[in-house]
Structures are given as C-alpha cells and as structure tokens.
Amino acid sequence: MPSLPSFRDVLVLSIALRVGLILYSEWHDAHSVVKYTDIDYRVFSDATRFLLNPGPNAENHAQGPLRNKLAELNIAVGDPYTRETYRYTPLLALLLSPNEWLHPSFGKYLFAACDIFNGVLIYDLLVSFVLPSLQSHGSEEKATRAISREGLATLYSALHLLNPLVFAISTRGSSESVLSLFVLLTLYAALKGRWDAAAVALGLSTHWKIYPVIYGVACLGVIGGPPSTSGWKGYLQTLINTRTVRFATLSAATFFALGAGCYLIWGYPFLYESYLYHLHRLDHRHNFSPYFYLIYLTYPSRDPAVAALDLPLWNRLLRSPLTSFVPQMALALGAGLAFGRRKDDLVFAWFVQTVVFVVFNKVCTSQYFLWYLLLLPLLLPKLSISCRNAIAYIAVWVITQALWLNEAYNLEFLGQNVFFGLWVRGLVYVVGNCWVLGGIMEGYNVPRKIKSQ
C-alpha cells in the first residue's frame, strides 16, 4: 500500500486552499465584471450594515414589540430586513458583524472555518463511531484490514474537505457551511447518545433553516428504544414515551425561544422573511425542480393574491405550495420513520431523508446538494457497492446535472426560449437521482443480507 497522507496534512491543505481562494476572490472581484463572490454574500453584508447602522428617527429600526423599551435604554438596533431579499435569521447578520468593523471578507473566512470544523467532526465520527461499528459487526472489507482506521477516516473526510463544490461555495460567501455545522453537531450528539444536546442543536438548526426538522422523526425511533410488544402498538410506544417527549419538547423549546427572541426585537419582518415567505413562495426562475415549469406557466403578472382569485381550480392547484409539499414531506418523514430505528442506521436515514427532500423540493439549486453530500463520507463505509455500479451512479449524477446546466446556459446567457426543454431535462435529473438513491439504498442493505445468511 502506498503511504497515505495524514489527517493533519489534509487539514493543512484544506485551510491553505480556502485561504488562497478567498484572497483570490478579492483580487478577482476588483478586476473583473463577473464576480467570484456570490450575490448572497452581498445580501448578508448589506443586512449586517443595516442591522448595525440604524437610521435617524424611525427609519431602518427594529420593529419588534421591544422597540420602545430598547429606545428607552438608548439601544439602537437596525432592521436587517431593510435589505430586500434577505430572508434569513437576523442571527446570521449579527454573526457577520465583523464584516463592518474588521474586514469585508470576515464572513468568507468564517464560512470556510465552519467547513474545516465540519471535516474535523466527520473525521472524529468516523474514527470513534462509524468504523468501529462496522468492525464490531464483522462487516469490515479488505480495505479496512489493509489500512488503519485513521487512514480510512482521513480518506473519507477528505471527500468533504477537498470537495470542490464544498470549498467553492463557502469561499464565494454562501452560509451553507454554518447550517451544516449545526446539523453535524446534532448528529454528533445523537451518535454519542447525548440526546439533550442533540435536541438543543436540532432546535438551533431548525431556527437557522427549517428543513432539518425532518431529522427529528428519525431520532424518535432511536431514542424510544426497542418495542416492548410486537405489532403497531409496540412501534407506537417507541415513538411516544417519556424519552421521545423530552427530546421533542426540548428541541421545540429551543426553536421557539430563539424565534421569540428574534420576534421581540425584529417583529413581523423576521417571521415573514424567515418562515412565512417560504410557505407561499413562487419561484418561476429556472432550477432543477420538476415544479418550476408549472410555476412559470401559471405565474401571475400582477399581485399574486388578487390574481389567484381569477384562476381556474386546476391552475390554483398547480401553483399551490401543497402540490410539492405533500409528496416531499411524505417521502422525507416516511423515510425517517422507516429507517430511523437503530443508532447505527441514523446516518443512512438522514441521508435518504435529505436526498428526497432536495430532489422533490419546489426549488432546487446546486447549493442544496451540500445538504446530503455532507453526510456521504459517513455513509460510504457502510455501503457495499461494486466498482462498476459506483462509476455508473457517479456518472448518472454528474451527467444529469451537466445536461440541465447546458440547457440552462442556453436560456440564461444566450436568451433562447428553451423552457420546455429545460423542464424535460429537470425530469431526467429527478429520475436519475432517484435511481442513484435506489442503488445506494440497495447497497446499504447488502452487508446485512449477507450476515443474515
């Protein structure tokens, strides 16, 4: 076996790569019309500026119930939602405060640091939980015997630390790595059996972005333990008991406490932009979602609330968020209930939940792929897939995106009317991703089938 790099070497390379890209981004943005920095980073920075610099009188001031009390205490707090299209928790704008008084690229360094810390958590979970659980069940492969546990953990964690999609998104200024950190902390606490800490981390994750709530369902079956009786009554007892109620209560309390604190300061704009907006969001711009073309065709040319009253029933059904929400949540929550039964299967359950949530979401962009790619290094050691099938899965995953991106280029940059063709390629993307997920699920079951024989 050739000598493998140590985890420290991978970590140093990962840090140098991200720092170099951030420094390059500053030079590139100063000399090019097409910016390296993502538009979202400018939105974050503007929101931070509004938050830290409230205007005179009532202009650009926090609108929560405590605004008068804050004024009495001579505490001026700006409103980050003065910046249009800022639809995140105000805690993100607060977190990026050093952008104003330290350096404009502070947020990029912070997001890159979260990337690095995520890689450290992945490595630790591989060494302390995932790989030992394989060996204890007698299902280690030849590679496991030929390479040390630390060497394998380094290889798998490098899939995150050296993933071009991961470091490109964070160094361009996307905040996904912060959410990924909260999700990984939740998983870390859960696999370590620290369920109170997991509940708090899950509540924080859900406050940051609502989708991690689906992971709570998978946790309930693990927390409840094995059923005392057979049948549906026994299964119901694993989902509803003192331990699961404690977990759900603590997680919900964290979510509502954070939300209440933000509401008291920033008021209704926080509720609407962070949560309510996404319930009725109609994004007619092109994206991977199979729903985008239907939304594009039925998108109102005037006030959506007024125009919807004039639409026929079938048209309103196509535009309704429930059209995508019901099948999406049925699959995501159903996967959590079906596969979240043992702690050893928690990573697999979360991965399946995340993939179906992303693929069937009414808006789907490349940025969302990070949500399930984050879990892939922890799942790969438990897969038994032939090299031929692995190449086929990677090829389908890449090619379906390339086909879509090629048509999206024709629409976005060449101005060609290819909406229908883009939608068809979006359907190909959905089918291809479902096929890949099915192969991964089948590969995960192989070791258990062999063992049972």
Side-chain angles (χ1 to χ4, degrees):
M1 291 293 297
S3 58
L4 296 174
S6 67
F7 181 67
R8 180 182 177 181
D9 294 336
V10 172
L11 211 57
V12 170
L13 176 61
S14 302
I15 295 172
L17 187 63
R18 285 164 171 80
V19 172
L21 282 173
I22 293 172
L23 293 175
Y24 166 77
S25 72
E26 296 176 359
W27 177 88
H28 180 98
D29 291 351
H31 294 83
S32 176
V33 176
V34 180
K35 305 302 182 183
Y36 178 88
T37 301
D38 194 293
I39 183 64
D40 283 347
Y41 189 72
R42 280 179 270 172
V43 173
F44 302 155
S45 300
D46 290 346
T48 298
R49 190 173 303 112
F50 281 119
L51 187 148
L52 297 180
N53 300 286
N57 302 322
E59 182 183 349
N60 181 36
H61 275 256
Q63 302 178 33
L66 291 181
R67 60 181 181 273
N68 293 331
K69 185 65 175 178
L70 292 174
E72 292 176 4
L73 296 174
N74 201 26
I75 299 175
V77 179
D79 184 7
Y81 302 105
T82 301
R83 194 345 173 152
E84 293 184 7
T85 73
Y86 182 76
R87 297 189 174 97
Y88 308 88
T89 170
L91 300 184
L92 174 58
L94 192 62
L95 188 65
L96 298 186
S97 296
N99 275 19
E100 284 293 290
W101 50 266
L102 184 60
H103 194 279
S105 292
F106 169 83
K108 294 182 182 180
Y109 286 105
L110 176 65
F111 300 154
C114 289
D115 261 352
I116 299 299
F117 193 59
N118 290 338
V120 173
L121 285 176
I122 290 172
Y123 176 84
D124 185 83
L125 282 175
L126 285 164
V127 170
S128 63
F129 184 84
V130 177
L131 295 175
S133 70
L134 287 177
Q135 294 174 354
S136 65
H137 287 87
S139 60
E140 68 268 36
E141 301 291 335
K142 292 181 181 179
T144 310
R145 296 191 293 269
I147 306 175
S148 68
R149 183 185 300 173
E150 290 75 14
L152 277 175
T154 299
L155 288 177
Y156 287 123
S157 58
L159 294 177
H160 170 82
L161 289 169
L162 301 179
N163 186 330
L165 184 63
V166 172
F167 62 68
I169 286 179
S170 63
T171 56
R172 291 186 67 214
S174 171
S175 65
E176 291 297 331
S177 60
V178 180
L179 175 64
S180 297
L181 174 60
F182 296 150
V183 170
L184 270 183
L185 287 174
T186 306
L187 181 63
Y188 185 90
L191 295 181
K192 298 292 185 178
R194 302 168 185 169
W195 291 110
D196 286 351
V200 172
L202 181 61
L204 174 59
S205 303
T206 306
H207 168 81
W208 207 262
K209 188 166 288 187
I210 200 69
Y211 92 87
V213 70
I214 62 177
Y215 300 142
V217 175
C219 291
L220 295 181
V222 179
I223 298 170
S228 56
T229 59
S230 59
W232 67 270
K233 290 185 178 180
Y235 178 65
L236 192 61
Q237 289 175 357
T238 65
L239 297 179
I240 305 176
N241 54 57
T242 55
R243 294 186 296 274
T244 58
V245 170
R246 176 187 176 92
F247 176 84
T249 302
L250 189 55
S251 182
T254 303
F255 172 77
F256 286 110
L258 290 171
C262 291
Y263 175 78
L264 288 174
I265 298 175
W266 289 282
Y268 182 75
F270 154 71
L271 285 181
Y272 178 79
E273 300 292 352
S274 298
Y275 304 117
L276 301 180
Y277 166 80
H278 299 281
L279 294 179
H280 62 82
R281 175 182 180 183
L282 292 176
D283 196 334
H284 65 288
R285 294 169 296 178
H286 58 283
N287 61 83
F288 287 95
S289 171
Y291 301 103
F292 108 86
Y293 190 55
L294 299 176
I295 295 175
Y296 169 76
L297 292 177
T298 60
Y299 195 79
S301 58
R302 49 198 174 93
D303 182 22
V306 177
L309 299 177
D310 301 332
L311 295 174
L313 178 61
W314 69 269
N315 207 317
R316 277 180 281 168
L317 288 175
L318 289 178
R319 292 179 59 249
S320 172
L322 292 178
T323 304
S324 61
F325 184 76
V326 171
Q328 176 194 34
M329 295 307 293
L331 288 170
L333 298 180
L337 292 173
F339 304 125
R341 309 295 292 276
R342 301 185 313 129
K343 189 185 294 185
D344 287 349
D345 297 329
L346 202 55
V347 173
F348 173 70
W350 282 25
F351 179 83
V352 175
Q353 285 184 286
T354 311
V355 172
V356 296
F357 185 92
V358 170
V359 170
F360 292 96
N361 197 26
K362 65 180 178 180
V363 179
C364 180
T365 65
S366 299
Q367 192 170 294
Y368 296 177
F369 300 162
L370 292 181
W371 297 353
Y372 58 78
L373 289 178
L374 176 72
L375 303 170
L376 193 58
L378 298 171
L379 179 63
L380 284 176
K382 296 192 174 186
L383 298 182
S384 181
I385 298 176
S386 67
C387 183
R388 179 180 178 180
N389 285 344
I391 293 174
Y393 297 152
I394 295 173
V396 169
W397 189 78
V398 172
I399 291 174
T400 54
Q401 293 180 52
L403 287 172
W404 186 93
L405 289 169
N406 178 69
E407 196 77 335
Y409 175 84
N410 294 333
L411 173 65
E412 184 74 15
F413 293 97
L414 303 183
Q416 298 178 5
N417 186 4
V418 292
F419 281 96
F420 180 78
L422 189 63
W423 174 62
V424 171
R425 297 188 185 206
L427 296 180
V428 173
Y429 154 81
V430 171
V431 173
N433 275 255
C434 289
W435 180 75
V436 172
L437 177 60
I440 291 175
M441 294 172 69
E442 184 178 1
Y444 184 81
N445 288 327
V446 167
R448 195 169 299 172
K449 290 178 181 177
I450 294 175
K451 182 184 175 184
S452 63
Q453 293 172 358

